[in-house]
Amino acid sequence: MRQAITTGGKSIAPLSAAIVAEGKFAFVSGQVPFRDGEFVDGTIEEQTALTLENLRGVLEAAGVSPADVVRVNVYLTDMADFARMNSVYAEFFPDPKPARTTVGVTMAGAFKVEIDCVALLP
């Protein structure tokens, strides 16, 4: 069984904000620094904070919170931004922190960061 979560995050791409699978996991699509459907430029800290707030909105729409996240992928366009992104990220997720992978990528647009995750439903 799959349930699409279509609220909590806005996308210009053909995707669901999240999919709840088998009533156990919420797979959240990559979130980027958008507000009201528009890209918000800024420092890596500002883009990370907004991206994480968008992630929180999708998680809440799926009935979970950052505390329920078990796996995160972070995509950075400049790995030199890692420490600054990480300082914002560290404040968002409570302990124990989820498992995480961070990779350097090329993205469409001026995004500096994109974050997706998997959460365990309570």
Side-chain angles (χ1 to χ4, degrees):
M1 179 181 95
R2 296 180 336 149
Q3 174 191 358
I5 304 298
T6 57
T7 60
K10 304 287 188 220
S11 176
I12 58 172
L15 53 82
S16 297
I19 294 286
V20 173
E22 297 297 321
K24 297 178 184 175
F25 294 98
F27 294 86
V28 179
S29 293
Q31 299 298 302
V32 292
F34 267 25
R35 181 178 294 124
D36 301 322
E38 297 290 326
F39 167 67
V40 177
D41 199 3
T43 66
I44 186 61
E45 293 91 347
E46 292 165 337
Q47 285 198 19
T48 300
L50 181 53
T51 297
L52 289 169
E53 285 309 310
N54 291 339
L55 191 80
R56 181 190 313 274
V58 177
L59 289 168
E60 289 174 354
V64 293
S65 74
D68 300 308
V69 173
V70 295
R71 181 80 172 103
V72 175
N73 292 312
V74 177
Y75 308 94
L76 292 174
T77 58
D78 185 348
M79 289 303 288
D81 288 337
F82 178 84
R84 293 169 44 213
M85 173 281 300
N86 201 49
S87 67
V88 176
Y89 175 98
E91 297 298 316
F92 184 78
F93 290 102
D95 290 330
K97 303 287 190 239
R100 182 180 87 186
T101 299
T102 303
V103 295
V105 298
T106 300
M107 286 190 261
F111 307 130
K112 295 176 183 172
V113 62
E114 182 171 350
I115 302 174
D116 66 41
C117 70
V118 178
L120 180 63
L121 275 74

